[in-house]
Amino acid sequence: HKSMMMSRLFASILLATGAAASPCTFCTKDASGNAVTFDLSGLPTTTASLADSTGHEAYQVTMPCAGADSAQCGGANRDPFLQGCNSVGTLAGGNVSLTLDAVGFNLTLHGGFDTPPMPAGRNAVYHFICDSSVPITNGPDPTVIESPPGFYNVVWHTPAACHGSATPTTCAPPPPAPPPAPPPAPCSRGSKVCLPSWKPTWDMRNSTVLYTCNNSGMHNVSHANQFGIVVYDWSNAKAIWANAHPMSSEELITKQAEMVYAQDPGVQGYAPRVWAYRNTIKALNWYSGVREKLDDPKYASWFIKFKGFENTPYPGGEGKSVNNSFHVPACDWYNNGTAPRCSGFYHDQEQTPEHPGGGAPYRVDGDCIEQCDCGSTNPCAEYIFDHRGGEVEGRTFRDWFINEYMVTNETLYHKDPVTGEPQVIGLGWLDDSMTPHGPTEEDKNYIADTGASPDDMAAQVDAYQASMAALREKVIPLGGFWWQLMDGGGVKLNSGSVTPAQCKSTLQSLCVPNSTSWNKMQMYNVPKGGSGVTTQGFTDYTAEFLLTRGPYAMLGYSWCGCTNGEEMRPRAAEWDEDFGSPTDGACTETASGSGVYTRAYSKATVTWDCNAMHGKIDPK
C-alpha cells in the first residue's frame, strides 16, 4: 500500500465547520472543491488486537468513533487507537484530517500521547480501502506500520470507502469523541492508583522487607523477624522438600510462615508479616495443590499439552522414545534403572529439581538424592496452566486458580494453628506470565513444541489476562496484595550514575504535595542483596526512602537469589530506629536552586544534598 503511505504528501484538508454531523461521518473536498462525505457508522465497534511487523508492539484498534476496549488497560477508553495503553490519536478537539486517494481515503486522528516526543506528535492513520467484496462488519488488517515516525498506519478494507456522498454540500464538523471512560478500577492495568487496603505505616522497621529463600533448610526466624515483611520464594527449604516423597514446597512455605508468626504475629490491620510465592502460568507440581489436578485426567483441559498429545494412556507420555520429539525432554532422568516418568503435558526442566547427572537437558535446580518424586503420574517439571480450561464438576480453571490455588487456607484465609484465629499469609511474588511468544522464563521453543497457532497464543494471553484481572478484583478487597502490583522504582538517586542536575530535576518533581508517585505502593530496592553497600551507602538508601516515600512504601530486598545456611542479608542500623512520621507532608528545597532537600519527621530531619549526592538523618 505504498500509494496510501505516500498520500501524506498530498495536501491534507482540515475538516471545515458546517451543519451537524451524523453519528460517524467525515467530510473533505475533492479536487473540484465539492464536499465528499463518508459514513463509517456501520463499521464494527469491537476492538481488534493488532501488532507491528515484529510482533513486539501491541495495539488495540476500533472504528474511529468508538473507544478501544482493552482489559489490559482497565477497560474502555475514549480513543479508538491505542499503543499499549496510550492513545495515538483522538477525536477530541476535532483535530482530524482526511485525504482522498485512488483506492479510498485516509483518515488521520491527531493529538496522541507524546512521551518521548515525536516531530509531529503521535497520530492514528486509518487507510480505508474501497472493497465491496467484504461485509461492512469487516475489521482492520492485523499489522500496524509506523511511517513516518509518530504516524501509526492501519489498513481497513470496507465497502464504506467506496462511495462518498455529495450531500450535504458543505462539510459538517467531525463527530465528537466518545465521553471520557470511567477511570479503571484501582490496580487494574492502566490504572494510576494501586494501593493495599491495609493501614499504612511510617514505622521504620515495619517498613522494611526481605524477599528470600534458604536453599539448605528452613530460614532462620530471628533473621526474618528483623524485617517488617518477609516474602518466601518457592525455593525456600529446597534441600528438604525436593527429597520428600512426594515433594512438599507448598506445605513448607506455610510451615515457615507459621514459624515466623509464632515469634512475631505483627499488628492486626496492617500488612501481613509473611507473604508466599505462587506462579501464575507455570504449574509447578512440587506444589501439592497443582499436582493433585495435573495427575487427575478430569482436569486435562487445565494444562497445555505437547503437540500430538494423546490422552491414552494418561498422561500421554510414550516413554523415552519421545524424548527426541521436542526441544525439551518429555521424561525425567534417573540412573539406577528406575523407569522414567513421562508426560504428554508440555513441560520443561529450566528450573526444576533433578537427580544430578542427566546432562544439559536436565539442569539441576535442587538435588534429588533419589528419583525426584512429584507423584507417580507425571515427572517433576514446569508445566503450563491453560487459563482457558473448561468446567469440571461445576468449576472452571479460573474458579480453581483464584479460589483454591491463590486464595486459600494457606494464604489469605490462613488461621493460627494453635488458636484458630485468622493469621493472614499474604500473596507475595506472583511469578511469570503468558505472552504472545509463550510463557516467561520457559523454553524458547514453547510454540513449536505445542503447535500453537497465532490465534491460539492470542487466546492464551487473553485468558491469562482475564484471570489476573479477576484475581485483582478478588484479592484487593480481602486485604491482599502482591509484589508485581507495586511500583518497583522507588530508588531514583542511588544508582551511582545520577548527576547533581538529574538529582535536582528528580526531586523537584517528587517534592510536591501528594506526589502522584504515592498513588502506588512503592518498593525501594537495595540491589544485589546489599552486597558491597557501605555504612554511608545504607544511610543514603534510607535517607532517600524517608525523603520521598508515601504512606505505602517498603525498603529492603527484592529477588536477588537464595542464600544457604546462616547467610543473611545485611541491615542498616537506621532500620531499627524510630523516626516518627512526617510533619510537613512532602520534602522541600531549603532555598531556590540550592539542590538541598529536607523533610521533617516528628523525631528526625532527613536531608538529601544533590551537590554531594549523599543523604543524612538527624535525630531530634
Side-chain angles (χ1 to χ4, degrees), residues 23 148 151 290 379 382 414 485 494 524 582 586:
F151 287 82
V290 173
E382 298 181 315
H414 180 261
L485 294 177
N494 277 288
Y524 292 70

Side-chain angles (χ1 to χ4, degrees), residues 89-106:
T90 179
L91 281 175
N95 192 10
V96 179
S97 59
L98 188 152
T99 58
L100 303 175
D101 65 17
V103 294
F105 68 95
N106 307 308

Side-chain angles (χ1 to χ4, degrees), residues 325-341:
S325 301
F326 308 106
H327 294 86
V328 291
C331 308
D332 65 3
W333 178 87
Y334 194 47
N335 69 349
N336 71 347
T338 303
R341 296 187 181 100

